[in-house]
Short mmCIF file of all heavy atoms in Angstrom, two decimals:
data_model
loop_
_atom_site.label_atom_id
_atom_site.label_comp_id
_atom_site.label_asym_id
_atom_site.label_seq_id
_atom_site.Cartn_x
_atom_site.Cartn_y
_atom_site.Cartn_z
N THR A 168 81.65 -78.77 14.26
CA THR A 168 81.89 -77.67 15.19
C THR A 168 80.68 -76.75 15.23
O THR A 168 80.15 -76.37 14.19
CB THR A 168 83.12 -76.85 14.77
OG1 THR A 168 84.26 -77.71 14.68
CG2 THR A 168 83.41 -75.75 15.78
N LEU A 169 80.24 -76.42 16.45
CA LEU A 169 79.11 -75.52 16.66
C LEU A 169 79.62 -74.24 17.30
O LEU A 169 80.25 -74.28 18.36
CB LEU A 169 78.08 -76.18 17.59
CG LEU A 169 76.67 -76.40 17.05
CD1 LEU A 169 76.74 -77.31 15.86
CD2 LEU A 169 75.78 -77.02 18.11
N LEU A 170 79.36 -73.10 16.65
CA LEU A 170 79.70 -71.81 17.23
C LEU A 170 78.42 -71.20 17.79
O LEU A 170 77.46 -70.98 17.05
CB LEU A 170 80.31 -70.88 16.18
CG LEU A 170 81.52 -71.41 15.41
CD1 LEU A 170 82.08 -70.32 14.51
CD2 LEU A 170 82.58 -71.93 16.35
N LEU A 171 78.42 -70.91 19.09
CA LEU A 171 77.21 -70.45 19.76
C LEU A 171 77.48 -69.15 20.50
O LEU A 171 78.45 -69.05 21.26
CB LEU A 171 76.72 -71.50 20.77
CG LEU A 171 76.38 -72.88 20.19
CD1 LEU A 171 76.37 -73.91 21.30
CD2 LEU A 171 75.04 -72.84 19.49
N ASP A 172 76.62 -68.14 20.27
CA ASP A 172 76.72 -66.91 21.05
C ASP A 172 76.38 -67.21 22.50
O ASP A 172 75.48 -68.00 22.80
CB ASP A 172 75.75 -65.86 20.50
CG ASP A 172 76.33 -65.13 19.30
OD1 ASP A 172 77.56 -65.08 19.19
OD2 ASP A 172 75.54 -64.65 18.47
N LYS A 173 77.09 -66.52 23.40
CA LYS A 173 76.80 -66.72 24.82
C LYS A 173 75.45 -66.15 25.19
O LYS A 173 74.57 -66.85 25.69
CB LYS A 173 77.89 -66.05 25.66
CG LYS A 173 77.72 -66.26 27.17
CD LYS A 173 78.42 -65.19 27.97
CE LYS A 173 77.68 -63.87 27.90
NZ LYS A 173 78.21 -62.83 28.79
N THR A 174 75.25 -64.86 24.93
CA THR A 174 74.05 -64.16 25.39
C THR A 174 72.83 -64.61 24.61
O THR A 174 72.81 -64.54 23.38
CB THR A 174 74.22 -62.64 25.24
OG1 THR A 174 75.40 -62.24 25.94
CG2 THR A 174 73.02 -61.91 25.80
N GLY A 175 71.83 -65.09 25.32
CA GLY A 175 70.58 -65.51 24.70
C GLY A 175 70.60 -66.94 24.20
O GLY A 175 69.54 -67.51 23.94
N THR A 176 71.78 -67.53 24.07
CA THR A 176 71.88 -68.91 23.60
C THR A 176 72.26 -69.82 24.75
O THR A 176 71.55 -70.75 25.11
CB THR A 176 72.91 -69.03 22.46
OG1 THR A 176 72.55 -68.15 21.41
CG2 THR A 176 72.96 -70.45 21.94
N ILE A 177 73.42 -69.53 25.35
CA ILE A 177 73.89 -70.33 26.47
C ILE A 177 73.38 -69.76 27.79
O ILE A 177 72.99 -70.50 28.70
CB ILE A 177 75.42 -70.41 26.46
CG1 ILE A 177 75.88 -71.16 25.20
CG2 ILE A 177 75.95 -71.08 27.72
CD1 ILE A 177 77.38 -71.18 25.01
N THR A 178 73.34 -68.44 27.88
CA THR A 178 72.83 -67.79 29.09
C THR A 178 71.47 -67.15 28.80
O THR A 178 71.07 -67.01 27.65
CB THR A 178 73.79 -66.69 29.59
OG1 THR A 178 73.87 -65.65 28.61
CG2 THR A 178 75.18 -67.27 29.81
N LEU A 179 70.78 -66.76 29.86
CA LEU A 179 69.45 -66.17 29.69
C LEU A 179 69.49 -64.80 29.04
O LEU A 179 68.50 -64.33 28.51
CB LEU A 179 68.76 -66.07 31.06
CG LEU A 179 68.40 -67.40 31.73
CD1 LEU A 179 67.83 -67.14 33.12
CD2 LEU A 179 67.42 -68.18 30.88
N GLY A 180 70.64 -64.16 29.07
CA GLY A 180 70.77 -62.86 28.41
C GLY A 180 70.82 -61.70 29.36
O GLY A 180 71.45 -60.69 29.08
N ASN A 181 70.18 -61.81 30.51
CA ASN A 181 70.21 -60.75 31.52
C ASN A 181 70.90 -61.28 32.77
O ASN A 181 70.61 -62.40 33.22
CB ASN A 181 68.80 -60.29 31.88
CG ASN A 181 68.10 -59.61 30.72
OD1 ASN A 181 68.68 -58.79 30.04
ND2 ASN A 181 66.84 -59.97 30.50
N ARG A 182 71.79 -60.48 33.34
CA ARG A 182 72.44 -60.89 34.58
C ARG A 182 71.41 -60.92 35.70
O ARG A 182 70.50 -60.09 35.75
CB ARG A 182 73.56 -59.92 34.92
CG ARG A 182 74.71 -59.93 33.91
CD ARG A 182 75.62 -58.75 34.13
NE ARG A 182 74.90 -57.49 33.97
CZ ARG A 182 75.41 -56.30 34.24
NH1 ARG A 182 76.64 -56.21 34.69
NH2 ARG A 182 74.70 -55.21 34.06
N GLN A 183 71.58 -61.86 36.60
CA GLN A 183 70.65 -62.01 37.71
C GLN A 183 71.40 -62.09 39.02
O GLN A 183 72.53 -62.61 39.09
CB GLN A 183 69.78 -63.26 37.52
CG GLN A 183 68.86 -63.17 36.32
CD GLN A 183 67.86 -64.31 36.28
OE1 GLN A 183 67.84 -65.18 37.16
NE2 GLN A 183 67.02 -64.33 35.27
N ALA A 184 70.75 -61.59 40.07
CA ALA A 184 71.36 -61.63 41.40
C ALA A 184 71.45 -63.08 41.86
O ALA A 184 70.48 -63.84 41.78
CB ALA A 184 70.53 -60.80 42.37
N ALA A 185 72.63 -63.46 42.36
CA ALA A 185 72.84 -64.85 42.78
C ALA A 185 73.15 -64.98 44.26
O ALA A 185 72.91 -66.03 44.85
CB ALA A 185 73.97 -65.47 41.95
N GLU A 186 73.68 -63.90 44.88
CA GLU A 186 74.15 -64.04 46.27
C GLU A 186 74.32 -62.67 46.90
O GLU A 186 74.70 -61.70 46.23
CB GLU A 186 75.49 -64.79 46.27
CG GLU A 186 76.00 -65.20 47.62
CD GLU A 186 77.30 -65.98 47.53
OE1 GLU A 186 77.87 -66.06 46.41
OE2 GLU A 186 77.75 -66.50 48.55
N PHE A 187 74.03 -62.60 48.23
CA PHE A 187 74.30 -61.39 49.02
C PHE A 187 75.52 -61.67 49.90
O PHE A 187 75.51 -62.63 50.69
CB PHE A 187 73.10 -61.02 49.90
CG PHE A 187 71.86 -60.68 49.13
CD1 PHE A 187 70.76 -61.51 49.15
CD2 PHE A 187 71.80 -59.51 48.37
CE1 PHE A 187 69.61 -61.19 48.45
CE2 PHE A 187 70.65 -59.18 47.67
CZ PHE A 187 69.55 -60.03 47.70
N LEU A 188 76.57 -60.86 49.76
CA LEU A 188 77.80 -61.06 50.51
C LEU A 188 78.00 -59.89 51.47
O LEU A 188 78.33 -58.77 51.05
CB LEU A 188 78.99 -61.16 49.55
CG LEU A 188 78.90 -62.28 48.50
CD1 LEU A 188 80.05 -62.16 47.51
CD2 LEU A 188 78.92 -63.64 49.19
N PRO A 189 77.79 -60.08 52.78
CA PRO A 189 77.90 -58.98 53.75
C PRO A 189 79.35 -58.73 54.15
O PRO A 189 80.21 -59.61 54.03
CB PRO A 189 77.08 -59.48 54.93
CG PRO A 189 77.23 -60.98 54.87
CD PRO A 189 77.33 -61.33 53.41
N VAL A 190 79.63 -57.52 54.63
CA VAL A 190 80.94 -57.23 55.21
C VAL A 190 80.89 -57.62 56.69
O VAL A 190 79.83 -57.94 57.24
CB VAL A 190 81.29 -55.73 55.05
CG1 VAL A 190 81.37 -55.36 53.58
CG2 VAL A 190 80.29 -54.85 55.79
N ASP A 191 82.06 -57.62 57.33
CA ASP A 191 82.11 -57.98 58.76
C ASP A 191 81.21 -57.07 59.58
O ASP A 191 81.17 -55.85 59.38
CB ASP A 191 83.55 -57.87 59.27
CG ASP A 191 84.42 -59.01 58.76
OD1 ASP A 191 83.86 -60.02 58.31
OD2 ASP A 191 85.66 -58.86 58.78
N GLY A 192 80.49 -57.70 60.49
CA GLY A 192 79.61 -56.93 61.36
C GLY A 192 78.21 -56.77 60.82
O GLY A 192 77.35 -56.18 61.50
N VAL A 193 77.94 -57.25 59.62
CA VAL A 193 76.61 -57.15 59.01
C VAL A 193 76.18 -58.55 58.58
O VAL A 193 76.99 -59.32 58.05
CB VAL A 193 76.62 -56.21 57.79
CG1 VAL A 193 75.23 -56.10 57.16
CG2 VAL A 193 77.14 -54.83 58.17
N ASP A 194 74.93 -58.90 58.84
CA ASP A 194 74.49 -60.23 58.38
C ASP A 194 73.86 -60.13 57.00
O ASP A 194 73.48 -59.05 56.53
CB ASP A 194 73.52 -60.87 59.38
CG ASP A 194 72.28 -60.04 59.63
OD1 ASP A 194 71.81 -59.34 58.69
OD2 ASP A 194 71.76 -60.07 60.75
N ALA A 195 73.74 -61.29 56.33
CA ALA A 195 73.24 -61.33 54.96
C ALA A 195 71.80 -60.85 54.87
O ALA A 195 71.40 -60.23 53.86
CB ALA A 195 73.34 -62.77 54.40
N ALA A 196 70.98 -61.09 55.91
CA ALA A 196 69.59 -60.65 55.88
C ALA A 196 69.50 -59.13 55.84
O ALA A 196 68.62 -58.57 55.17
CB ALA A 196 68.85 -61.20 57.10
N THR A 197 70.39 -58.46 56.55
CA THR A 197 70.40 -57.00 56.54
C THR A 197 70.75 -56.48 55.15
O THR A 197 70.15 -55.52 54.65
CB THR A 197 71.39 -56.46 57.58
OG1 THR A 197 71.01 -56.92 58.88
CG2 THR A 197 71.44 -54.94 57.56
N VAL A 198 71.75 -57.10 54.52
CA VAL A 198 72.13 -56.71 53.17
C VAL A 198 70.96 -56.95 52.21
O VAL A 198 70.66 -56.10 51.36
CB VAL A 198 73.37 -57.50 52.70
CG1 VAL A 198 73.72 -57.14 51.25
CG2 VAL A 198 74.55 -57.23 53.61
N ALA A 199 70.29 -58.10 52.35
CA ALA A 199 69.17 -58.41 51.47
C ALA A 199 68.04 -57.40 51.62
O ALA A 199 67.43 -56.96 50.63
CB ALA A 199 68.66 -59.82 51.75
N ASP A 200 67.74 -57.01 52.88
CA ASP A 200 66.67 -56.04 53.12
C ASP A 200 67.01 -54.69 52.49
O ASP A 200 66.17 -54.07 51.82
CB ASP A 200 66.45 -55.89 54.62
CG ASP A 200 65.33 -54.90 54.94
OD1 ASP A 200 64.15 -55.25 54.71
OD2 ASP A 200 65.65 -53.78 55.38
N ALA A 201 68.24 -54.24 52.69
CA ALA A 201 68.65 -52.95 52.12
C ALA A 201 68.69 -53.02 50.59
O ALA A 201 68.29 -52.07 49.90
CB ALA A 201 70.02 -52.56 52.66
N ALA A 202 69.16 -54.16 50.06
CA ALA A 202 69.25 -54.32 48.61
C ALA A 202 67.86 -54.31 47.98
O ALA A 202 67.64 -53.71 46.92
CB ALA A 202 69.97 -55.62 48.27
#
C-alpha cells in the first residue's frame, strides 16, 4: 500500500485556470479578455 499526499505529489500543487465559462449573452473570448 502506498499513501501519497495529493498536493505536490499527485497534483502540481497550485490550482490552474482550465476553462472560461461565459453567462448567456457573453462569449468566451470576452470573458477571457476581461479575466
